[in-house]
Amino acid sequence: MFQVLLALGDGEKHGYAILKEVEEQTDGHVRLSTGTLYAMIKRLLTDGIIEECRNRPPAEEDDQRRRYYRLTPLGRDVTVAEAERLEKLIATAREKHLLKRLKPA
Amino acid sequence: MSSGFISPSDRIYRALLRLFPGDFRSEFESEMEQAFREQREGIERRRGKAGLFRLWGETIAGIFTTAPAEHLAMLRQDIQYALRMMRKNPSFTAVAVLTLALGIGANTAIVSVIDAVLLKPLPYRHGDQLVMLHQRAEKVGLAGVGYSAAEVQDYRRQNGSLSDLVEFHSMSFTLLSKNEATRVRTGVVSDGFFRVFGVKPILGRDFTSADDQPGAPAVLLLSYEYWKTHENSDPNIVGKTYRMNDRVHTVIGVLPPVPQYPSENDVYMPTTACPFRSNPKTVANRNARMVSLFGRLKPGVSVDHCQSDLAVIAARLEKQYPEAYPKELGFTSTAVSLRKEITDDAKPMLLVLLGAAGCVLLIACANVANLMLARMSGRERELMVRSALGAGQGRLLRQLFTESFLMALLAAAFGVLFASQSLKLLVDFTARLTPRAREIQVDGHMLLFALAAAFLTSIVAGSVAAIRPRNNFTPGLKDGGCNFSMDRRRVTARNALVVCQVAFSFVLLIGAGLMLRSFFKLRSVDPGFVPQRVLAMKVSLNWSKYSQGEHVLDLTDRLLSRLRQLPGVLSVAASSSYPLDADAMRFGGWNQRITIEGRPENGSERPPLTEVRSASVDYFKTLGIPLVEGRIFERSDNEHAPKVAIVNQTMARHYFQGSSPIGRRISNDGGESWVTVVGVVADVKELGLDRDTADELYLAHTQAPGLGSVLVRTQQDGIGLADDMRGALRSLDPEIAVPNVVTLEQAEHEAIASPRVMTDLLAIFAALALTIAAAGIGGILALTVNQRIHEIGIRVALGAKPGRVLSMIIGRGMGLVAIGLGIGLAASFAFTRMIKALLFQIEPTDPVTFAGVSVVLAAAALVACYVPARRALRIDPLVVLRQE
């Protein structure tokens, strides 16, 4: 789910764009299926983490069947908070020389 | 991309998406299709066919894991919402749940009984192959003649349709264990009896053919109940000895808890241990018919085939022994499947109760549907808002069903509780009708039925509640949702529900009314004696000890004189039996063929048969049976005096038409000895208040000693004397079993217990139905008044008189009631025919009942209409118009 939020971190995207972004972000390790993605989108919409975006691209680039989603201010806060939490974890791992040992720079 | 073309892959994907809930699909379907198409094209470009295969795999797996989760989430949401709605309207929820609980509970209880008694296979091995044989004297309408020992041998040898044929009869004996005497009902059975039924003892062994040989040591099998209650489930019971009929009897085993047919017995013994059955005179006498026969059909043989087989044997025996089978009696043998035999008495009552309970559930269901429908009008705005926000019609339906199902489920839980609580009452009631009552229990079937009833109820109630106005939602939203025009469909549905409730209630009330009238008739039957302040003590003598008449007379004399000395005793009497004795009523009377001196015997006419009783001098005085003609017995009618008899009025009418029976002579042993009639007494309902009085012949106790019971009339209510009576008997012979003492009022009460419980149950159902229906009518009128408040306000403002407004509202309600009554009337004519057999001296179309019930129902409906109509009268036109 965090990957989806990250994918939306730099602006609104439609479903397929999110799928592609997540795949690229993870070097192909995480590939979401459409079912999984839209179940997540539904939950994120219900919880007010993301919202549907009314601004659509110019008509020649648009497809009416697509819907575009973006982070809400709450969603942005949640994403940032989660990223910071992970950052702290990584920092701790580094302090304990775990990361280096596991994955030398 | 052409939007008109749909590729096979798209089709497959769309089909897979159908696994998601409708709401989910309507929100994301086209978008998901588009995303998947783009994903597919991208992968195909980059990774070729292999990538495509992997994508399909991941997609299918993704859908299969997320779709069920989506369904679950939605269900959870629906349940939470429904619970919130239920909490928000506690009174609505309480009424709906309570009415449904009563409906479901009543049905669950009765279905459990029907399941155990009528539906489940008999708890015997291949129970459907078991039959009971009946010998009848067809031409004189005598059923259940029984079979003699010689006949048992004949039928066993000559039949070709039964693999086994075993005999049974029941007797009361005194069982002596150390110093304690107990009267036990003893089943006397032939070798192989329990093997035919597939019943194996849970302790010890079954009878063997060696036990059934003359001279074999006497052995006993105990019934499960007797072992449990009298021997405290002693695991070492096998080998215990009792004294019985002057012989030592050894316990060889204990039977499992199975229904015993034709009667429940405490212990069982082989035929050779029964002093009567093993008596050489009995064995040799083809006319000593005292046993019942059970058989197992050979594989593939039908009951009908067995019937014809038996008829052939009966005809052969009639030809072979003409004296034993007089032509004018028309002896014949038939077979009835044991299952039918055991359950036939219970069937009509149980089916009527099921019908009644079903009616209550339908009425409750209609009521809940009506309540929900009414509430739907109130929730219209909420539903419209939800619909406008994108909730599909299916989703709203689902929401409604979830709500009604939750309520029904709650009701089912209460219903099961109610059913299991009331089951004991039903078991007691059913036990009067069938030995299978013991199989009734709270089991999985019961829970399953309650669940099914809840499910069906919610479907019915939910579907009706889901009837929606035809117009779309926008007008409702525009006018603020507080003034909907009454939608015709909903009004019609609600009216139809009220009509149904009235009709069903009417049918139930008619049923209960008929049973009630029938019961009152039964209760007002003159029993022919005065049961108040009479105690009856049943005496079970040890047959072997009191085989001589003088011993019996001696005991009787001493016992009666002791009882006379008890305080408050007005008179005492000894007799062979007492009226309305439960056992006698169950097993029928003791019919004897008699000869009346000087009465020509017509070959084609039924030979005289009569009940023969022995009665002491004060019998008629003690019971308050009036003398009609002649005299009653006197002390001078002793064993040395000429033998005398008294007949009842029915017998006098029957055999001495027009002339007085006094002085006429009667023989009950084919003319060997004669008794002279000295008196005629009034008729007594000996074997049941609902039965026709039989011909009765009373013999003087001193001349025909037979001590079966002792009767005591007291000054005041005398049940306190019971212990003294028992004490008096035990002091004379401690080896006589502790007898049962009842008041004759108890006996009379017990004699009509079955119809009483049946009437009570139907009355409860009918009262329930009436209450629910009245609430339904009141509810719908209250709603009507609410919805027409403006119209009524305007009418009042324009000068409409209160009486006119009142009659308008009441007229509307009563119009529905009238239609319901009409339908109920027609249905009742069909229904009441089914309970004809349960009615006593009342026609199923009894006009008094029909008129009475119509008045009661109309009155209840009128009251229900009046309350909302009064509210309409109090409407202040100014307030209403201002709101406008």
Side-chain angles (χ1 to χ4, degrees):
Chain A
M1 191 163 297
F2 186 53
Q3 300 283 5
V4 174
L5 294 180
L6 281 183
L8 292 174
D10 53 358
E12 67 255 26
K13 286 192 179 62
H14 56 78
Y16 176 58
I18 300 174
L19 288 175
K20 233 166 48 177
E21 170 100 19
V22 170
E23 195 178 346
E24 280 164 13
Q25 271 170 18
T26 59
D27 295 330
H29 286 300
V30 176
R31 203 159 77 193
L32 292 175
S33 75
T34 43
T36 316
L37 173 71
Y38 278 93
M40 276 184 210
I41 286 181
K42 185 173 173 254
R43 260 190 71 186
L44 293 170
L45 280 171
T46 314
D47 295 345
I49 306 286
I50 62 169
E51 62 189 354
E52 199 182 332
C53 181
R54 298 282 162 215
N55 304 331
R56 302 188 72 91
E60 61 276 12
E61 295 170 29
D62 194 15
D63 185 321
Q64 278 308 312
R65 284 168 298 190
R66 281 177 182 159
R67 278 155 79 185
Y68 291 82
Y69 303 98
R70 67 175 172 212
L71 290 174
T72 61
L74 170 70
R76 187 158 294 280
D77 290 348
V78 169
T79 314
V80 169
E82 178 64 6
E84 283 171 354
R85 188 182 67 86
L86 291 175
E87 191 178 32
K88 271 186 198 154
L89 284 178
I90 305 245
T92 312
R94 278 193 213 291
E95 273 168 31
K96 300 195 181 255
H97 309 292
L98 290 169
L99 260 185
K100 254 186 192 161
R101 237 190 302 143
L102 282 172
K103 203 177 176 184
Chain B
M1 186 178 298
S2 150
S3 56
F5 173 74
I6 300 173
S7 71
S9 300
D10 286 340
R11 270 181 217 279
I12 296 172
Y13 186 72
R14 187 174 285 178
L16 283 170
L17 287 185
R18 298 203 76 82
L19 292 173
F20 282 100
D23 264 23
F24 186 91
R25 278 206 322 272
S26 60
E27 200 175 346
F28 298 112
E29 190 174 46
S30 66
E31 201 184 336
M32 285 172 82
E33 281 173 14
Q34 173 65 11
F36 179 65
R37 195 177 299 123
E38 286 177 277
Q39 194 182 24
R40 212 174 60 220
E41 286 164 359
I43 295 265
E44 198 173 7
R45 262 198 315 275
R46 281 182 280 135
R47 310 228 170 102
K49 287 261 183 284
L52 211 53
F53 274 128
R54 210 179 130 198
L55 174 70
W56 270 110
E58 286 164 357
T59 302
I60 291 172
I63 288 176
F64 273 98
T65 46
T66 48
E70 280 303 312
H71 278 285
L72 266 180
M74 199 158 282
L75 184 68
R76 199 173 322 130
Q77 210 179 331
D78 282 349
I79 290 176
Q80 277 165 355
Y81 182 79
L83 287 176
R84 209 162 48 235
M85 290 314 292
M86 282 160 71
R87 273 200 301 271
K88 231 172 95 184
N89 302 283
S91 50
F92 164 81
T93 310
V95 171
V97 168
L98 192 72
T99 41
L100 277 185
L102 289 171
I104 293 178
N107 278 277
T108 306
I110 287 164
V111 166
S112 309
V113 174
I114 289 185
D115 180 45
V117 173
L118 302 181
L119 300 180
K120 278 188 189 159
L122 288 180
Y124 308 127
R125 185 170 56 89
H126 302 304
D128 287 340
Q129 292 177 345
L130 294 172
V131 289
M132 188 177 180
L133 272 54
H134 290 281
Q135 179 151 246
R136 295 207 304 255
E138 208 142 57
K139 288 189 182 155
V140 292
L142 255 187
V145 177
Y147 292 87
S148 62
E151 285 167 342
V152 175
Q153 293 305 323
D154 289 336
Y155 279 95
R156 200 174 271 157
R157 269 198 298 267
Q158 296 181 29
N159 92 80
S161 49
L162 300 166
S163 60
D164 293 285
L165 191 65
V166 286
E167 66 165 89
F168 165 93
H169 75 273
S170 184
M171 305 211 71
S172 274
F173 291 123
T174 304
L175 198 67
L176 295 166
S177 158
K178 290 180 193 143
N179 293 325
E180 206 174 302
T182 324
R183 181 172 173 264
V184 286
R185 204 184 291 285
T186 310
V188 182
V189 298
S190 62
D191 173 37
F193 183 82
F194 295 110
R195 283 194 296 283
V196 166
F197 283 81
V199 172
K200 287 193 181 111
I202 51 167
L203 276 182
R205 65 169 177 88
D206 192 0
F207 297 131
T208 61
S209 43
D211 296 322
D212 209 17
Q213 296 302 319
V219 287
L220 288 178
L221 271 169
L222 304 190
S223 76
Y224 183 81
E225 283 68 33
Y226 189 83
W227 174 64
K228 211 168 129 187
T229 51
H230 287 78
E231 297 294 345
N232 297 320
S233 307
D234 177 9
N236 302 314
I237 189 76
V238 175
K240 181 173 178 174
T241 55
Y242 297 103
R243 224 151 45 77
M244 198 179 190
N245 304 323
D246 282 347
R247 285 177 77 182
V248 171
H249 287 64
T250 310
V251 175
I252 57 161
V254 177
L255 293 170
V258 285
Q260 303 171 48
Y261 195 80
S263 62
E264 301 271 327
N265 290 284
D266 299 316
V267 302
Y268 285 85
M269 62 166 54
T271 55
T272 46
C274 171
F276 297 91
R277 171 65 179 80
S278 60
N279 186 324
K281 271 192 194 162
T282 311
V283 175
N285 184 359
R286 183 167 283 276
N287 283 319
R289 300 185 174 99
M290 61 187 290
V291 308
S292 306
L293 286 182
F294 293 91
R296 178 175 287 284
L297 294 172
K298 282 184 179 165
V301 173
S302 68
V303 176
D304 285 345
H305 179 90
C306 179
Q307 302 262 33
S308 38
D309 190 20
L310 296 175
V312 170
I313 302 172
R316 197 182 297 147
L317 292 178
E318 192 179 279
K319 211 175 273 176
Q320 204 173 347
Y321 308 100
E323 331 75 58
Y325 307 96
K327 273 239 175 307
E328 65 272 21
L329 294 183
F331 272 90
T332 178
S333 256
T334 53
V336 180
S337 98
L338 187 63
R339 190 195 180 101
K340 187 169 152 52
E341 184 78 39
I342 289 187
T343 55
D344 249 16
D345 284 349
K347 203 171 181 176
M349 290 209 195
L350 291 182
L351 291 184
V352 166
L353 283 181
L354 180 69
C359 267
V360 172
L361 183 58
L362 282 176
I363 293 170
C365 208
N367 198 46
V368 172
N370 219 339
L371 281 171
M372 284 186 79
L373 204 52
R375 211 174 47 135
M376 276 303 122
S377 302
R379 277 171 67 185
E380 197 72 353
R381 189 176 160 69
E382 170 212 329
L383 290 175
M384 282 178 189
V385 170
R386 292 185 49 167
S387 181
L389 286 177
Q393 193 83 349
R395 180 69 209 282
L396 292 178
L397 260 180
R398 199 165 138 163
Q399 177 66 58
L400 272 179
F401 283 124
T402 311
E403 227 176 305
S404 59
F405 185 61
L406 268 189
M407 269 193 291
L409 208 61
L410 201 61
F414 282 116
V416 168
L417 203 70
F418 167 67
S420 50
Q421 290 304 308
S422 60
L423 212 54
K424 190 178 167 339
L425 176 84
L426 275 177
V427 171
D428 287 348
F429 166 67
T430 317
R432 295 174 195 283
L433 311 168
T434 169
R436 293 203 79 183
R438 65 162 67 218
E439 295 170 64
I440 302 166
Q441 55 184 341
V442 180
D443 60 5
H445 287 200
M446 184 180 192
L447 299 179
L448 213 65
F449 175 80
L451 260 183
F455 186 68
L456 277 178
T457 306
S458 60
I459 295 278
V460 173
S463 319
V464 178
I467 294 175
R468 303 190 53 78
R470 267 212 199 93
N471 47 351
N472 63 27
F473 297 115
T474 20
L477 283 176
K478 273 189 201 146
D479 65 13
C482 52
N483 183 24
F484 298 105
S485 57
M486 289 276 280
D487 178 76
R488 289 305 320 160
R489 289 172 73 190
R490 263 196 189 152
V491 174
T492 314
R494 271 205 297 263
N495 289 348
L497 286 172
V498 167
V499 167
C500 286
Q501 284 182 317
V502 173
F504 279 127
S505 307
F506 187 81
V507 174
L508 263 182
L509 280 170
I510 288 287
L514 287 173
M515 286 300 289
L516 207 64
R517 293 250 304 146
S518 156
F519 180 68
F520 282 136
K521 289 243 172 189
L522 195 58
R523 224 178 52 171
S524 61
V525 167
D526 177 12
F529 62 96
V530 185
Q532 288 78 19
R533 304 194 314 279
V534 178
L535 289 166
M537 174 166 74
K538 223 168 176 169
V539 182
S540 171
L541 296 182
N542 188 342
W543 307 102
S544 35
K545 187 169 174 184
Y546 292 96
S547 56
Q548 301 296 317
E550 56 262 39
H551 294 155
V552 177
L553 281 183
D554 176 54
L555 178 77
T556 311
D557 275 350
R558 288 192 293 148
L559 179 61
L560 293 189
S561 62
R562 284 209 182 184
L563 293 178
R564 255 181 229 115
Q565 286 156 16
L566 292 177
V569 169
L570 292 178
S571 68
V572 296
S575 63
S576 51
S577 61
Y578 63 88
L580 302 180
D581 170 21
D583 288 337
M585 282 168 57
R586 194 172 311 133
F587 298 114
W590 193 253
N591 258 311
Q592 285 188 27
R593 197 171 161 184
I594 53 162
T595 318
I596 298 167
E597 194 178 41
R599 183 176 188 272
E601 293 234 344
N602 184 344
S604 61
E605 208 184 305
R606 178 187 192 268
L609 281 167
T610 176
E611 299 271 331
V612 179
R613 300 179 198 284
S614 127
S616 71
V617 175
D618 285 336
Y619 179 78
F620 302 103
K621 181 179 153 198
T622 307
L623 282 181
I625 302 172
L627 176 72
V628 178
E629 194 185 346
R631 66 169 176 90
I632 53 170
F633 298 130
E634 291 165 355
R635 299 211 184 279
S636 53
D637 297 322
N638 55 33
E639 53 266 57
H640 312 294
K643 290 192 169 178
V644 291
I646 292 172
V647 298
N648 69 349
Q649 277 177 302
T650 298
M651 181 163 172
R653 225 179 8 249
H654 214 143
Y655 298 118
F656 306 95
Q657 301 95 329
S659 63
S660 167
I662 309 288
R664 299 285 295 272
R665 297 207 309 159
I666 295 173
S667 168
N668 65 344
D669 51 15
E672 273 182 41
S673 62
W674 294 89
V675 292
T676 307
V677 178
V678 294
V680 178
V681 290
D683 286 340
V684 172
K685 293 282 181 189
E686 288 277 352
L687 297 176
L689 295 175
D690 55 344
R691 298 227 203 149
D692 290 335
T693 312
D695 300 324
E696 300 274 353
L697 178 72
Y698 299 94
L699 302 176
H701 183 259
T702 36
Q703 299 175 342
L707 184 59
S709 60
V710 174
L711 297 153
V712 172
R713 177 169 288 281
T714 58
Q715 246 160 356
Q716 270 122 26
D717 278 343
I719 194 68
L721 277 185
D723 280 341
D724 296 328
M725 290 170 72
R726 287 192 204 103
L729 181 65
R730 302 287 312 266
S731 69
L732 293 173
D733 183 349
E735 288 195 354
I736 292 180
V738 181
N740 201 13
V741 178
V742 294
T743 67
L744 286 194
E745 276 178 303
Q746 282 170 346
E748 195 187 16
H749 188 81
E750 190 62 20
I752 48 173
S754 285
R756 182 187 302 112
V757 179
M758 184 74 189
T759 307
D760 285 352
L761 285 174
L762 275 187
I764 291 171
F765 286 156
L768 213 61
L770 185 64
T771 315
I772 298 174
I777 299 163
I780 193 167
L781 274 195
L783 200 76
T784 313
V785 170
N786 255 356
Q787 280 165 335
R788 292 173 66 182
I789 200 157
H790 293 94
E791 180 204 327
I792 297 169
I794 290 166
R795 276 170 190 256
V796 173
L798 291 177
K801 293 209 168 71
R804 177 124 186 77
V805 175
L806 201 68
S807 65
M808 179 183 82
I809 303 287
I810 291 184
R812 202 181 128 68
M814 291 310 280
L816 295 178
V817 173
I819 302 173
L821 278 181
I823 297 173
L825 197 73
S828 295
F829 276 112
F831 164 77
T832 50
R833 236 175 289 153
M834 283 164 50
I835 63 167
K836 191 175 190 331
L838 305 179
L839 299 177
F840 175 71
Q841 289 183 357
I842 283 278
E843 281 304 308
T845 52
D846 177 46
V848 177
T849 310
F850 274 71
V853 164
S854 305
V855 170
V856 167
L857 190 52
L862 202 61
V863 173
C865 291
Y866 184 69
V867 179
R870 283 277 305 171
R871 246 196 83 219
L873 278 190
R874 284 200 292 267
I875 291 172
D876 182 347
L878 280 180
V879 175
V880 172
L881 292 176
R882 218 175 282 139
Q883 274 176 1
E884 185 86 334

